[in-house]
Structure formats: structure tokens, C-alpha cells
Amino acid sequence: MIPAMKRFGGPAIFLDRSDINTDEIIPAKYLTENSKEALRPYILEDLKLDGFDPRSPALANAGAIVTRANFGCGSSREHAVWVFEVNNINMVIAESFARIFRQNMFNCGMLAIELPKEQIERLFTMGGDVVITVDAGFSNFQARGKSGELTCSIILNPFDRQLVMAGGWLAYADQKY
Amino acid sequence: MGNTIAEKIFAAHLRDTPTPENAVLDIDVVMCHEITTPIAINDLMSRGKDRVFDVKRIKAVIDHVTPSKDSKTAIQAKTLREWAQRHRIPDFFDIGENGVCHALFPEKGFIRPGNTVIMGDSHTCTHGAFGAFAAGVGTTDLEVGILKGVCSFRNPETLRVIINGKLGPGVYAKDVILAIIKKLTVNGATDKIIEFTGPVVTAMSMESRMTLCNMAIEAGATCGICMPDQVTAEYLWPFIKSEYLSINGATIDFKKWHSDPDANYAAELIMDITDLPPQATYGFKPDEVKDVTDMTGIKVDQVYIGSCTNGRIEDLREAAGILKGRRLADGVRGVMSPATPKVFMQAMEEGILKIFMDAGFCVTNPTCGACLGMSNGVLAPGEVCASTTNRNFNGRMGKGGMVHLMSPLSATAAAISGVITDPRQFLGQDRVGDKL
Ligand code: SF4
């Protein structure tokens, strides 16, 4: 079975803090679950952030996360990526990522997009209701909100791009090695 | 131009270069535990690919929650156990002989200088203490590692940390690494390998070097790494005697993994730790570090001594040194988890367990336990723990709990005093019969 390339984009959730760690994305007590699907309700459960409610319906409809620096630091748990995947959030846009989290995203065929600080800042100033659309070759994405529109180019390492195209590292490695 | 140790290890293990920036490496040791491996096993089975690339290069242990505490953890243990049995993986450690992975595997001699090592666990960086490239990875990387024996990384950049001076009394590797993380911040080494060198590292035991490398990930590093030398050769000697004529011969051979003098570094941090006092974290990030003397008086409810950072025999000896003849302060719970059965046994033979138990500590079996808030000492909301572990994230040891990271000596001082205390005041006192 060849895994399909994922669908990217949708309403964005803004997480306005740096250094959000994987314990905040999915607490360790859920690491005993034996399927990715079982993680779905626990997304960002322990994240304490003004104006953010992990139970909000907005999170259930979201398709993208926009956040600050060093997202996904701490534990290597891929559960932190899966909990986004099973909630149909296949892209995270940040100023920077922790290495293992970023690798886990591409390994699952998902997009971890790094943008310069100024562009992240502009996304944040667009306000809450922002919808992200990604072009077919994922070279750009567009953010549309009440206050206007912003187009950002997606700069990916070519190998990471291949992983996204292949639907992840397992599919890629299984073919090649 | 010369090469760093990491560049040499990459070159020696290169399987593929999908782009000039990326390297696919052959992996010498793929390590597995029961939290992150079962989903990989189940996925391989569902794809009809329940195979392992090389049974001898896979090491597996049940360590995070053991004995299993509920049905879910029992299923995880069972999945790993049955997989290890099905593939006849010789180095599988189950209850009775299991311990915290990053303490157990080095003790068994599994990690050698120049090795490439991966595990579905961020503190895999610990094994860099042996002059290996050892990186924590996610479950997909682990799954590919199990199936194909390869893993992909970006080409390494190295940050060299030169540690000069001499450790003062009551100051240990844990204090040094906390001070380094404070300087680097939690992402100061992201995508980099931290090479720890200088006279302080040369003088350190393997246990201390493991403590140092263990927390490299807390600065975002892919791996911490130390040059393999005579200390490394002496530690590994029981496992390598058939390969070398003498410890000296092994030491000379290990030099092939040393960074060249003209190697290129992405950055450098030079520290003199001669006047460094004991350190501890005060917030929810591992770079939120202060001198213990600036935190004295903070009340603790629990003291936890153990984990892959500080659950080795050297750590227990340091703690026991000031605990002997003393008791836990009123209202403080003490939990001590020796990291491996060997450490447990040594601590028993040296009388260390008795010192802890006489003091009122609960001594648990070797396991990760409270370190990640799974068992054996989870905190209630509002409780405070002085802990020798490596992560102080909000909720790490239990929702609403606060964890202050510190050395075994500082944690013991907090246990005796009931509040965070400069441990140096207990050094050199006559403790036997001392009624504190
Ligand atoms: S002791 Fe703690 S940090 Fe170390 S492997 Fe276990 S859970 Fe992870």
C-alpha cells in the first residue's frame, strides 16, 4: 500500500509562546495508549496559555498550528505528532522547531514549516480567524483573515520535501534501502 | 581541514547522501523500550513486515513502568516481550534484570567509541559519553531502524564546550550541566552536537560524563559527546579484553575517534567552573537555573533520587555520604530508585540502601517511575519535589507539581532539611550518632 500524501491547511490555531514542549502537546500519562487514534481527545491538554482552551471547538476544526520558537522540545515522543495527525492538523508553522519533533513531522509525511520571526509576527497580527491554504507543490501557503491576506514561501530541505511526497520515512526507506 | 569526532563517525557509517545536507547512516545499536516501541511493532506487523535487521544489534528493555501498573502498561510490556521472544533478541531485559535504559545498556558494555546509536527516547544522548554518536528519535525513525538498520540525520555541526578549572567540594557533573544549559538556553544547541572537553571532563568518571551528556538534549542538542580515553577504556575493559592486548592499547586505538586539532566548530563555549556553586532549576524549563544558595528555604514535599541522569552508584554514594546517620525532615517523603539491578546490588553491599532506609526513604526497584510521572512518586497538585532527574516541565512528575532539578547531594540536603539548602554545609561533618 502506498500511503497517500496528506492534505494540508485549514483554519489556524495560534499558540503564542516559545518552547512549547511535547509533554504539553500530549502528557506522558497517555503514552500507554496502543493506537494513534486513542490520543485524539488529549491534544494540547496540559498547555496553559492565555486565551487557549484545549476543549474549544476551534481546535476540533483546525488544520494548522502557528507558533513561536523551539516548538516541540523535550521528549522524543512521536505521539506529539500523531495527536496532531489524528486531529487532521498536518502542518505546523513556527519560527523554529526542536530537532526530533521536526524530524517526526517529516517522517509522518507532515509539514514543519520554519519562517523568519517577522513573518510569524505578521501571521500573529492577522488575528484569530485565519485560514491557511497550501499550493499543490507546497511551495507557498496563503493565510487569509479578516484583516487581509499574506503569502509565504515554504522553504524546505529537499530531502524533507521528498519525505512529504513519499508519505513519510518508512515508505521512502522501504523502497530505497 | 580536520574533522570533529561526530564527522568521523558520520563518515564511517555513511549509507547514503540523499542531499548534500542529509546523511543516512548505518546504525550499530538500535535500542528499544516499552513506551515508544510497541506502536512501531504493531505497525510493522500490520504492514506484514515484522522483521528486524539484525537481532544482535537490537537491545530491548522494559524500564519505564515496571512492574506494570495497569492493563495498558501490561499490554505494552507484553508487546515488547513477545516481539523480543519471537525474534530471539538475545539482549532483552525483563523484570528481575531490567533497569533504566540509559544506565543499563552502558553497564552491559553495549556502547563503544565510534558507534552510531538510536533509541525512541530523547535521553539517548547519554551514550555519547563513550565517544559514540547517540541520538533520540521518534517511533518512525525507530521503526525504520528496526527494519533496515539505518537512520537519517542532517550533517552534524558541533558546538564545543571546553570546561576548565576544578570542581569545588559538593559540586558535581549535574551542577556543571545545569550551568551549561543556563548559558546555552533550551534551544541553544538545536541541530548541533555538543562536544564536552577540557580538563574537568578528562578528570570525570564515566558516570559523571553520562550525567553531562544526558542533559545535552535539554539544550536542544542532537547528542552530547566526550572523547573516548583511558577512563572509557577502563570502564569498557571487561567487554573489550578479547579485542585489545591492554587498556593502554585500547586507549591508543580510541584516539582514532578524537576530533582533529584543526576541526571546524560551529560555536564554542569556554567555562571555568572553579567557583561554580551547586545549581538547581527554579521554573518549568531546564534553562531556568539558579545557584542553590539563591533558592534556600523553598519547602519540599518529596525528594526523588534516581533516573538516567543520577541513579548510578556514584550518585548514591554521594547522597549516602551526607545522609548517613540522619533522617528525612518532618513532612518530607523520600523516594530512591537505583537505576539498575547492578547499582541496587552494589548499594546493598556497600550499606547504602540501609543508610537510605534508616533515613526513612522508600527504596524502589530500578525503573523510570516518577521521573516522567508514571508511577512510584507522582506528585499531587501544588506539591514540590527536589529531584535528581533531568526535566522540570510543568506536569512532568504529576499535574500541578513543581520539580526542582539538582544534584544527588543537593537533593539529599533538601531531604534532611525539608527545604532547599546548600549541601556543602553537611560536608565533612561527623554524622554518625549526630542527632539532627
Ligand atoms: S529516567 Fe526519566 S529521563 Fe531517563 S529514560 Fe527514564 S523517563 Fe526518560
Side-chain angles (χ1 to χ4, degrees):
Chain A
M1 187 193 71
I2 299 167
M5 207 174 87
K6 297 220 156 44
R7 295 180 53 141
F8 301 106
I13 293 286
F14 289 81
L15 303 177
D16 194 1
R17 209 193 82 202
S18 289
D19 307 319
I20 291 175
N21 64 60
T22 54
D23 275 77
E24 291 171 300
I25 300 170
I26 183 84
K29 62 176 181 241
Y30 301 122
L31 303 187
T32 58
E33 297 295 347
N34 268 313
S35 78
K36 298 181 185 181
E37 207 43 54
L39 303 172
R40 190 200 298 276
Y42 311 121
I43 180 168
L44 295 165
E45 189 181 273
D46 272 358
L47 182 65
K48 305 261 178 315
L49 212 54
D50 280 346
F52 173 77
D53 173 14
R55 300 256 160 265
S56 100
L59 191 55
N61 296 323
I65 300 278
V66 180
T67 185
R68 303 283 182 181
N70 196 32
F71 187 75
C73 58
S75 149
S76 63
R77 63 190 67 160
E78 200 161 306
H79 306 66
V81 167
W82 299 332
V83 76
F84 288 137
E85 186 183 18
V86 296
N87 278 283
N88 293 316
I89 298 172
N90 289 321
M91 63 190 288
V92 180
I93 301 162
E95 203 183 309
S96 62
F97 293 93
R99 183 195 72 85
I100 303 175
F101 180 86
R102 185 190 62 214
Q103 190 66 51
N104 289 344
M105 286 287 284
F106 290 117
N107 282 350
C108 289
M110 293 157 70
L111 278 174
I113 299 169
E114 283 175 310
L115 287 187
K117 198 177 179 141
E118 309 76 61
Q119 289 200 36
I120 292 287
E121 197 52 54
R122 286 185 62 191
L123 286 171
F124 269 93
T125 54
M126 288 179 77
D129 290 322
V130 170
V131 176
I132 308 257
T133 45
V134 182
D135 73 352
F138 43 91
S139 50
N140 294 294
F141 73 83
Q142 271 170 344
R144 276 195 204 83
K146 283 192 213 102
S147 63
E149 217 178 281
L150 181 68
T151 302
C152 301
S153 42
I154 301 175
I155 298 170
L156 292 182
N157 164 303
F159 177 62
D160 294 337
R161 185 176 291 267
Q162 284 172 31
L163 293 184
V164 180
M165 303 275 230
W169 170 230
L170 189 79
Y172 180 99
D174 204 21
Q175 287 247 314
K176 201 160 171 200
Y177 305 110
Chain B
M1 196 171 47
N3 292 306
T4 62
I5 174 171
E7 286 165 343
K8 291 182 183 185
I9 297 173
F10 267 52
H13 292 80
L14 201 59
R15 169 79 75 94
D16 190 13
T17 41
T19 81
E21 267 181 63
N22 300 86
V24 174
L25 304 183
D26 282 314
I27 303 300
D28 295 312
V29 193
V30 177
M31 310 192 298
C32 303
H33 65 55
E34 88 283 14
I35 299 289
T36 52
T37 318
I39 290 192
I41 294 169
N42 292 341
D43 192 61
L44 286 171
M45 288 175 76
S46 72
R47 291 170 192 262
K49 294 182 187 297
D50 181 22
R51 300 189 295 270
V52 300
F53 82 111
D54 181 348
V55 288
K56 291 210 198 66
R57 288 197 271 171
I58 291 186
K59 315 289 170 190
V61 64
I62 296 171
D63 65 348
H64 275 55
V65 190
T66 182
S68 301
K69 69 184 169 93
D70 55 15
S71 309
K72 283 181 175 170
T73 53
I75 291 168
Q76 289 183 310
K78 184 169 188 268
T79 306
L80 191 73
R81 183 180 297 124
E82 289 180 349
W83 170 77
Q85 285 164 354
R86 193 158 68 237
H87 295 287
R88 299 180 203 285
I89 291 168
D91 295 315
F92 168 59
F93 302 90
D94 205 341
I95 195 155
E97 28 177 36
N98 57 3
V100 178
C101 50
H102 310 307
L104 185 76
F105 292 152
E107 209 181 77
K108 300 280 178 194
F110 292 157
I111 318 300
R112 307 293 171 77
N115 274 179
T116 50
V117 184
I118 61 167
M119 182 174 204
D121 193 286
S122 60
H123 294 102
T124 307
C125 52
T126 312
H127 308 275
F130 290 85
F133 171 74
V137 297
T139 294
T140 301
D141 271 339
L142 180 70
E143 189 171 337
V144 172
I146 289 169
L147 189 63
K148 302 282 176 179
V150 297
C151 194
S152 89
F153 293 95
R154 292 195 186 173
N155 279 325
E157 283 197 329
T158 301
L159 161 67
R160 176 159 61 168
V161 177
I162 304 174
I163 311 173
N164 292 322
K166 199 168 178 287
L167 286 171
V171 182
Y172 297 95
K174 181 63 159 287
D175 302 296
V176 175
I177 188 63
L178 286 173
I180 291 172
I181 295 165
K182 179 182 184 177
K183 277 225 163 76
L184 292 176
T185 77
V186 287
N187 62 349
T190 300
D191 278 318
K192 293 189 180 61
I193 290 159
I194 305 180
E195 189 177 300
F196 296 104
T197 81
V200 175
V201 183
T202 309
M204 276 182 180
S205 66
M206 283 315 297
E207 283 83 357
S208 292
R209 293 179 193 182
M210 284 189 255
T211 303
L212 208 55
C213 290
N214 176 270
M215 290 191 72
I217 180 73
E218 308 310 332
T222 307
C223 179
I225 206 163
C226 302
M227 303 296 162
D229 58 8
Q230 186 168 344
V231 176
T232 323
E234 278 166 7
Y235 183 99
L236 288 174
W237 186 243
F239 310 102
I240 59 173
K241 346 189 223 238
S242 60
E243 295 161 41
Y244 296 99
L245 288 174
S246 64
I247 291 178
N248 200 25
T251 308
I252 291 165
D253 184 50
F254 288 172
K255 287 210 168 109
K256 65 177 179 246
W257 298 115
H258 285 205
S259 293
D260 297 325
D262 55 344
N264 189 24
Y265 291 96
E268 198 165 75
L269 174 67
I270 303 174
M271 299 177 74
D272 190 307
I273 48 83
T274 305
D275 298 321
L276 182 77
Q279 303 286 297
T281 61
Y282 60 88
F284 289 129
K285 292 199 300 168
D287 61 357
E288 294 176 328
V289 172
K290 281 188 194 170
D291 296 350
V292 164
T293 47
D294 290 335
M295 292 175 64
T296 46
I298 295 176
K299 203 187 155 313
V300 303
D301 301 288
Q302 176 169 298
V303 170
Y304 184 78
I305 296 179
S307 87
C308 58
T309 323
N310 283 124
R312 299 186 179 80
I313 191 67
E314 180 180 285
D315 305 312
L316 304 188
R317 285 183 191 136
E318 283 156 18
I322 63 167
L323 193 60
K324 189 172 184 188
R326 296 200 167 96
R327 296 243 347 135
L328 283 168
D330 280 350
V332 179
R333 309 184 297 271
V335 179
M336 192 275 266
S337 284
T340 69
K342 185 179 170 195
V343 172
F344 196 113
M345 202 75 99
Q346 271 176 299
M348 190 163 67
E349 282 160 8
E350 293 178 22
I352 292 172
L353 294 190
K354 183 165 170 13
I355 292 172
F356 272 93
M357 294 178 79
D358 284 346
F361 267 78
C362 161
V363 177
T364 81
N365 65 303
T367 178
C368 294
C371 171
L372 79 166
M374 292 282 249
S375 60
N376 286 3
V378 180
L379 301 176
E383 286 189 331
V384 177
C385 182
S387 174
T388 68
T389 53
N390 48 35
R391 282 208 172 121
N392 54 346
F393 297 161
N394 195 353
R396 171 82 177 178
M397 202 175 266
K399 208 167 186 149
M402 168 56 103
V403 176
H404 296 291
L405 306 176
M406 59 187 78
S407 75
L409 198 77
S410 298
T412 308
I416 300 164
S417 318
V419 291
I420 294 179
T421 305
D422 187 344
R424 293 172 297 185
Q425 72 192 70
F426 295 106
L427 290 175
Q429 291 181 10
D430 184 13
R431 293 164 301 261
V432 185
D434 190 350
K435 298 258 179 332
L436 257 176

